């Protein structure tokens, strides 16, 4: 149901959406009614999601990466080596992105 309202919003030309908030008010109200039919004025659409990994997770991730490397390739590496490899990979990707 909400997807249908979002599709309705996409049908409104971008310039009209930018110039006038009124063009989207009807759709906004419809979505609020779908979310909370009894009290659409108080409907809450937002939710917070953690965007960063938990504190101290890097150590665990690197240990698992080292264990995966040993299990997959039979090569034992330290978590520090896994971190170095990841840093090198990021530098190579960044360099390739600048060249494109």
């Amino acid at each position: 149901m909400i997807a249908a309202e979002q599709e309705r919003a996409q049908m409104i030309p971008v310039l009209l959406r930018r110039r006038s908030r009124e063009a989207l008010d009807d759709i906004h109200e419809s979505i609020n009614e779908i979310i909370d039919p009894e009290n659409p004025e108080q409907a809450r659409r937002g939710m917070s999601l953690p965007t960063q990994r938990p504190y101290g997770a890097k150590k665990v991730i690197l240990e698992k990466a080292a264990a995966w490397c040993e299990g997959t390739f039979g090569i034992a590496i330290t978590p520090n080596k896994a971190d170095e490899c990841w840093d090198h990979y990021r530098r190579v990707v960044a360099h390739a992105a600048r060249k494109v």
Side-chain angles (χ1 to χ4, degrees):
M1 295 168 98
I2 292 175
E5 295 298 326
Q6 290 172 334
E7 287 176 18
R8 250 179 75 201
Q10 292 300 318
M11 287 190 254
I12 299 171
V14 175
L15 291 176
L16 182 59
R17 279 186 263 161
R18 286 184 185 158
R19 289 185 195 148
S20 173
R21 261 322 267 166
E22 296 161 5
L24 298 174
D25 283 346
D26 179 48
I27 295 169
H28 176 77
E29 291 170 7
S30 297
I31 291 174
N32 285 346
E33 288 174 10
I34 292 168
I35 293 172
D36 190 355
E38 294 176 13
N39 196 2
E41 304 85 36
Q42 301 296 322
R44 303 189 93 198
R45 293 192 228 172
M47 62 186 298
S48 64
L49 300 173
T51 57
Q52 294 182 342
R53 65 176 179 253
Y55 179 78
K58 182 177 180 180
K59 179 181 176 188
V60 174
I61 292 169
L62 292 174
E63 288 171 355
K64 288 184 178 184
W68 175 84
C69 184
E70 185 172 4
T72 303
F73 301 110
I75 301 170
I77 64 170
T78 65
N80 285 342
K81 185 63 174 176
D83 193 26
E84 289 175 23
C85 291
W86 180 248
D87 287 340
H88 180 70
Y89 169 77
R90 285 194 312 223
R91 283 194 303 273
V92 168
V93 169
H95 181 71
R98 285 192 302 267
K99 292 290 183 180
V100 173

